[in-house]
């Protein structure tokens, strides 16, 4: 069956113990076994599967609502199987990016603080010079220590960011080797249709998950290449 083949439905055929299953896909009169293995990993990712298995029986059906589910193809199911096998690949990829975002926010905040302090110091330069001439203490030592601390903090943050970029590049390479690709629209639709909540690790906090995932994927690709 061609990966782009539009499916009628997919069926998890359970063993008598309901601990293992075969994932079979159907289109017209043609069927193909796509995967076999433990049932639990699939059920843990699919709300609709949990709902059906709680009702008893020895099969779980995946059938999208409506007749225009162009995303429901063999390729989509293959991607889902890959994700079930290695969910940590995408989750780690996004977790790293979130930490990088936090670091960049801290760096920008630190730089802004330094700029404001520099401007304030410039305005008080003449007053400070006069105080020195009169032998008055103006807390210069404390200011120097604080400045040194900020410089060290900046270096630590930049160093951590560089390490994370390397980790993200490696995570991208592993995901690519596992068969994950840039176009994630089909996985998004699959997640929405069948309650595959863990696939939403690629979802941004602003619900713009397709754009977010695409940007991260391209960014990591640049790091690798």
């Amino acid at each position: 069956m061609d990966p782009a083949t539009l499916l009628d439905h997919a069926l998890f055929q359970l063993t008598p113990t309901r601990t293992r299953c075969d994932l079979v896909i159907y289109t017209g009169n043609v069927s193909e076994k796509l995967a076999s293995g433990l049932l639990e990993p699939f059920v843990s990712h699919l709300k609709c599967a949990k709902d059906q298995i709680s009702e008893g029986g020895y099969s779980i059906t995946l059938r999208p609502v409506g007749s225009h589910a162009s995303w429901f193809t063999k390729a989509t199911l293959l991607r889902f199987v890959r994700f079930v096998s290695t969910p940590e690949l995408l989750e780690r990829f996004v977790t790293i990016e979130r930490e990088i975002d936090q670091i960049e926010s801290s760096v920008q905040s630190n730089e802004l603080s330094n700029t404001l302090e520099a401007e304030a110091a410039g305005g008080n330069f003449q007053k400070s010079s006069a105080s020195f001439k009169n032998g008055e203490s103006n807390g210069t030592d404390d200011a120097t220590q604080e400045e040194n601390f900020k410089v060290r903090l900046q270096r630590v943050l930049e160093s951590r960011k560089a390490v994370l970029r390397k980790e993200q590049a490696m995570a991208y390479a592993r995901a690519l080797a596992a068969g994950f690709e840039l176009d994630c629209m089909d996985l998004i639709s699959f997640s929405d249709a069948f309650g595959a909540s863990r696939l939403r690790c690629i979802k941004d906090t602003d619900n713009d998950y397709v754009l977010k995932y695409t940007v991260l994927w391209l960014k990591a690709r640049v790091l690798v290449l």
Side-chain angles (χ1 to χ4, degrees):
M1 192 182 299
D2 187 85
T5 300
L6 190 63
L7 305 178
D8 295 329
H9 66 283
L11 189 70
F12 289 98
Q13 297 177 339
L14 313 186
T15 60
T17 58
R18 301 210 306 172
T19 57
R20 299 185 65 84
C21 66
D22 291 332
L23 174 57
V24 184
I25 55 177
Y26 296 85
T27 179
N29 296 323
V30 180
S31 64
E32 179 182 331
K33 185 167 73 172
L34 201 63
S36 298
L38 294 173
L39 176 63
E40 177 56 29
F42 291 102
V43 172
S44 66
H45 285 82
L46 294 170
K47 182 180 183 301
C48 71
K50 292 179 182 178
D51 295 341
Q52 291 184 50
I53 200 170
S54 65
E55 298 173 358
Y58 293 91
S59 66
I60 298 170
T61 302
L62 301 182
R63 191 191 306 271
V65 178
S67 57
H68 301 289
S70 59
W71 52 268
F72 194 58
T73 63
K74 176 183 176 180
T76 301
L77 270 294
L78 282 172
R79 288 188 182 188
F80 174 67
V81 170
R82 292 190 191 107
F83 182 81
V84 169
S85 302
T86 54
E88 70 281 356
L89 290 181
L90 288 184
E91 291 172 345
R92 178 57 181 160
F93 186 78
V94 177
T95 298
I96 291 173
E97 181 63 23
R98 287 173 180 164
E99 185 175 347
I100 290 174
D101 287 343
Q102 292 175 352
I103 289 175
E104 290 180 342
S105 178
S106 297
V107 169
Q108 291 173 1
S109 178
N110 194 33
E111 289 176 346
L112 177 60
S113 176
N114 290 341
T115 300
L116 293 176
E117 289 179 2
E119 292 176 352
N124 295 326
F125 178 75
Q126 293 181 344
K127 181 179 179 180
S128 298
S129 298
S131 298
F132 270 122
K133 291 179 180 179
N134 294 330
E136 298 177 6
S137 173
N138 65 347
T140 303
D141 291 341
D142 292 340
T144 301
Q145 291 179 3
E146 182 178 355
E147 182 178 355
N148 290 338
F149 170 76
K150 289 182 177 180
V151 170
R152 289 195 298 271
L153 176 61
Q154 192 88 349
R155 289 175 179 171
V156 169
L157 291 174
E158 292 292 350
S159 176
R160 177 58 179 165
K161 179 181 174 182
V163 170
L164 288 172
R165 284 299 185 201
K166 291 180 180 179
E167 288 186 18
Q168 192 176 54
M170 290 187 290
Y172 167 83
R174 288 194 293 269
L176 196 62
F180 291 105
E181 301 172 9
L182 173 61
D183 183 10
C184 62
M185 285 293 294
D186 53 358
L187 285 179
I188 298 301
S189 299
F190 185 92
S191 172
D192 291 340
F194 303 118
S197 58
R198 286 188 70 182
L199 284 176
R200 294 181 180 274
C201 75
I202 60 179
K203 183 174 181 178
D204 190 21
T205 54
D206 296 327
N207 295 325
D208 196 5
Y209 38 64
V210 175
L211 176 60
K212 179 70 171 179
Y213 182 71
T214 301
V215 170
L216 296 186
W217 197 255
L218 290 174
K219 185 185 294 184
R221 183 180 181 183
V222 169
L223 291 174
V224 172
L225 299 179

